[in-house]
Every structure is written in C-alpha cells, then in structure tokens.
Amino acid sequence: MVNHSFLFANAKFDYATHPRFGPIRTVVAIKRIKRGEQILCDYEYPETATVPSWYATAYEREMKRPWPGEFVYSQK
C-alpha cells in the first residue's frame, strides 16, 4: 500500500519493463525507508483535475493554501 503526502514523499511512481507484460507501474524509493515506516508518494494530480475531497483537504493542510481546482465529496 502506498499512502499520499505532498511534502514527505519517500517514494515515487515510475515504470519498469516486465518481460511478459511490457511497461508496468512501479513504486521506487527516493529516500531510505526504514522497516515499519509508511511508503508515501505524491499522487501528483494536476491542479486542473477534479480530486476527491480528502485530497483537497490534505493539500490545504500541507501546502497552507486551498486546492486550486475542483473537488468532489466522497460517497460512503
């Protein structure tokens, strides 16, 4: 599982070439990750995207400004 963080990412999304399936999405560490530490990536939604409300809230909390695009409330 990969959680999201704008400021504290220790991994990033990338691609690798699988011998049978070709290019596949991967997660690559960009900092040393200790045992038991969460794996965090910036999900990198473009600012023009409509994002889930949790993402807009996290953006405002970490970046100290409102999400510039649209967002939708999660339905449970």
Side-chain angles (χ1 to χ4, degrees):
M1 181 186 330
V2 178
N3 290 319
H4 167 78
S5 177
F6 293 99
L7 301 176
F8 306 109
N10 55 15
K12 68 175 185 169
F13 293 109
D14 205 348
Y15 288 91
T17 302
H18 187 280
R20 180 173 177 193
F21 302 112
I24 58 170
R25 250 346 220 179
T26 60
V27 175
V28 178
I30 57 174
K31 298 178 183 174
R32 185 167 175 79
I33 302 172
K34 297 177 184 172
R35 182 179 296 179
E37 186 178 356
Q38 288 189 60
I39 299 173
L40 300 170
C41 284
D42 182 348
Y43 288 177
E44 298 180 357
Y45 283 112
E47 292 185 349
T48 56
T50 300
V51 299
S53 58
W54 68 262
Y55 189 89
T57 301
Y59 183 90
E60 188 166 349
R61 184 178 60 246
E62 287 189 43
M63 306 304 282
K64 308 294 187 225
R65 60 182 185 271
W67 173 251
E70 300 290 323
F71 63 90
V72 294
Y73 289 98
S74 302
Q75 298 289 325
K76 286 189 177 187

